[in-house]
Amino acid sequence: MLKQPLMLLLIGVVVGGLGWASWRTFGTKPAPPAAPVAQPDEPQVVYVEDSDLSPIRRVRQYAATIDRLIGMRAQLLRYREGVVDTLAEGRAAQRAARDYIALVQRWNELLAGIARDSVGRYRPESRYAAPLERSANMIAAARASLQGAVAYDRVLPRAERQQRLDAARGYLANARTNLSELPR
């Protein structure tokens, strides 16, 4: 006889536990979905009208800056490869190291002026959208190539610097071809 009440008690506890669990699961309201948080690293796309030629002018300015950096070819290639040591023995070695660091600073300042994200965009259906996008991509590739040509702590091998300058020149030529399709 004792077994029957104990069995009923056990069944009651199991059913009560299942009821409580289902009430906790289904009886509560789900939390409202969180609002999407804007990522600060994602640039905001600004569309401009076809009558606004400022994005085209800006990309042309960037192309001129790339051309100016490529024009500094002789300055960049004159340094011997190796570690840049401003405490090297001898005035000539110290001076060469300081001159190289000054060149790298100027180089990086010019590259910093080329900001891909600040270029306004035309709507995809615009007649200027595709050539401008191709030009901006070529300028970005030239910028990346030139950025890799210098380092503060060492002078890269001459062949590598020359290769990066040549690549940037090729990207610039492609950008100018695409820019020729756009109004002045």
Side-chain angles (χ1 to χ4, degrees):
M1 284 256 185
L2 223 163
K3 289 184 180 180
Q4 216 173 19
L6 190 56
M7 189 64 112
L8 287 173
L9 180 64
L10 184 59
I11 291 173
V13 169
V14 169
V15 169
L18 289 173
W20 181 80
S22 67
W23 175 78
R24 290 286 293 155
T25 303
F26 299 110
T28 59
K29 293 182 181 177
V37 178
Q39 298 296 328
D41 295 343
E42 294 180 17
Q44 295 294 325
V45 176
V46 177
Y47 289 113
V48 296
E49 298 299 319
D50 283 358
S51 60
D52 183 2
L53 299 179
S54 62
I56 297 169
R57 290 184 187 120
R58 196 170 301 116
V59 171
R60 281 197 171 104
Q61 289 171 350
Y62 295 163
T65 301
I66 296 291
D67 194 34
R68 191 173 324 135
L69 283 164
I70 292 171
M72 296 169 65
R73 176 185 202 97
Q75 288 176 303
L76 181 64
L77 294 178
R78 75 176 186 189
Y79 294 98
R80 285 188 169 155
E81 75 175 272
V83 176
V84 176
D85 185 8
T86 57
L87 300 175
E89 290 195 25
R91 287 185 180 180
Q94 289 176 358
R95 186 165 168 237
R98 283 193 306 270
D99 288 348
Y100 178 75
I101 289 173
L103 174 70
V104 171
Q105 286 175 337
R106 177 71 180 137
W107 191 273
N108 287 330
E109 286 171 6
L110 288 169
L111 287 174
I114 302 172
R116 169 87 167 90
D117 297 334
S118 69
V119 176
R121 301 241 163 81
Y122 294 105
R123 298 208 180 278
E125 63 274 1
S126 168
R127 62 182 178 205
Y128 302 145
L132 182 67
E133 187 67 23
R134 287 191 304 265
S135 297
N137 287 340
M138 290 295 117
I139 295 296
R143 181 185 188 279
S145 182
L146 291 173
Q147 199 163 21
V150 296
Y152 279 106
D153 59 343
R154 66 188 177 94
V155 180
L156 299 174
R158 181 182 174 96
E160 186 176 343
R161 287 176 279 161
Q162 197 160 358
Q163 176 189 12
R164 290 183 180 270
L165 287 164
D166 291 342
R169 181 181 291 151
Y171 290 129
L172 179 62
N174 286 336
R176 288 203 166 132
T177 299
N178 287 307
L179 284 169
S180 69
E181 300 174 23
L182 297 169
R184 291 227 163 244

